[in-house]
Amino acid sequence: METLKIALVSDWYYPKLGGVAVHMHDLALHLRSLGHEVAIITNDRETGKEAELKGAGIDLIKVPGYTLGSVGINMSVFSRSATTMIPYIRDYDVVHGQHAFTPLALKAVSAGRKIGKATLITTHSINYENSPVIRAIARVTFPYFRYHLRNPHRIIAVSRASKCFIRRFTRVPVEVVQNGVNVGFFDIPISRNEAKEKLGLGEKVVLYVGRLEPRKGVSTLINAMKHVDGTLLIAGQGSMLPLLRERAKLLGIGNRVRFLGMVEYSKLPLLYRASDVFVLPSLSEAFGIVLLEAMASGTPVIGTSVGGIPEIIDGCGLLVSPGNAKELARAINFVLSNQNIERRLSHLGKKRVEQVYDWNVVVKRVVALYREVLDEVSSNG
């Protein structure tokens, strides 16, 4: 099979933490391991991944411009014509934007379409991100998104829920290709008790990994812990941190809720393995890569019935209503007090991740789409 030249483009790459950055980075590495030439095109900031990408033979191309703080979007590119992106993508066969509502991805795909490239965009959203800034921009720029979202040849949605959302903007064909996870990285060869011992943890451990923002529903999880006999570990940072600390104290469980701050990615497998149950209590979620990480680690999962979460869990974990602390507490206690259930969910989750979400499976589906679009472009050319 011929080698492809692929440009992955997004505002939302490191240092901005989150699912889009992890997805784009892992996709780049897996495409490269199949022998393709790959570049990551992103904002002009220190990513912290420079050495790793260089070592893997992946180009990192930075687009200058004013980057808007925590939102992480390139406002200069937002206001310029798409043709300004042509020099960055000219040398590639495939231009693949990551996140349908960020200017670099949209403009690169529009530029690629103009000069006859195969163009795709992956949509990671089921709403405008729960950022007031993006929501405000979005209200004004609905026509802007509609205009640019006519340009990709294909849209990849990470879940059926995100496919429904993107349908409001475009008639371009949408394929659902789920996010991937590095199963081997999370499947570490030590037992749960050994992992607990290494981390100095007690009997029952409940884990949350992710940003501490309102839409993640972590306050519901803290409320639930009042009715759970165990320790809650919270790995992540965000605007809700002071409020969540205060909430735990008010409920009298401050000594059972541990805020770990940002945990290095390399330390996550041990954390997942040491936990008896992983909870994603989101009020809104297009996908939830952390669920895959937990499932790959053999940790039972509980999620809310919103967005793409039910598609991931699909009988391999428990689902609860968003914002309902009592129901969540019941689900956590059900898993913690029932070893058979814990073992069964652990086994089912791991099997599902290996069959559907392993990057080695997912990357082949993505490359097949690239080739399909390239064939269309050359036959129309």
Side-chain angles (χ1 to χ4, degrees), residues 226-245:
K226 187 159 173 57
H227 311 286
V228 173
D229 183 16
T231 303
L232 171 62
L233 304 179
I234 293 178
Q237 286 171 334
S239 63
M240 294 285 287
L241 179 59
L243 288 169
L244 296 171
R245 271 192 206 284

Side-chain angles (χ1 to χ4, degrees), residues 56-76:
I58 294 168
D59 290 333
L60 179 60
I61 298 165
K62 297 182 181 181
V63 180
Y66 168 67
T67 303
L68 186 62
S70 63
V71 185
I73 62 175
N74 192 318
M75 294 308 285
S76 311

Side-chain angles (χ1 to χ4, degrees), residues 63-210:
V63 180
Y66 168 67
T67 303
L68 186 62
S70 63
V71 185
I73 62 175
N74 192 318
M75 294 308 285
S76 311
V77 169
F78 183 73
S79 57
R80 285 188 206 130
S81 145
T83 50
T84 56
M85 288 300 293
I86 289 175
Y88 297 99
I89 51 119
R90 183 177 275 125
D91 296 336
Y92 300 93
D93 309 311
V94 176
V95 180
H96 184 176
Q98 293 287 335
H99 202 300
F101 300 100
T102 52
L104 268 189
L106 286 171
K107 296 277 168 91
V109 162
S110 295
R113 187 71 188 242
K114 259 190 177 72
I115 59 171
K117 304 295 181 185
T119 57
L120 304 90
I121 207 160
T122 294
T123 179
H124 295 262
S125 300
I126 54 167
N127 51 27
Y128 295 119
E129 292 313 303
N130 291 48
S131 140
V133 183
I134 288 196
R135 268 206 305 278
I137 293 172
R139 273 197 292 275
V140 183
T141 52
F142 192 87
Y144 172 91
F145 292 131
R146 298 264 320 232
Y147 173 79
H148 285 289
L149 285 169
R150 296 178 314 183
N151 290 321
H153 293 92
R154 273 304 176 290
I155 290 173
I156 296 175
V158 296
S159 61
R160 290 193 296 275
S162 59
K163 177 177 180 171
C164 284
F165 180 63
I166 202 73
R167 273 269 159 266
R168 298 184 201 175
F169 298 88
T170 180
R171 289 206 151 92
V172 168
V174 183
E175 302 266 349
V176 175
V177 178
Q178 288 88 351
N179 276 317
V181 67
N182 291 317
V183 174
F185 177 73
F186 287 98
D187 186 13
I188 54 174
I190 74 168
S191 73
R192 183 148 291 143
N193 286 338
E194 287 170 324
K196 279 184 179 164
E197 225 167 273
K198 275 195 169 192
L199 294 172
L201 295 168
E203 274 292 277
K204 298 293 181 189
V205 179
V206 180
L207 175 65
Y208 167 82
V209 177

Side-chain angles (χ1 to χ4, degrees), residues 208 211-214 216-223 234 244 281:
Y208 167 82
R211 291 196 295 273
L212 304 182
E213 301 300 339
K216 292 293 188 176
V218 184
S219 53
T220 308
L221 176 53
I222 289 176
N223 293 344
I234 293 178
L244 296 171

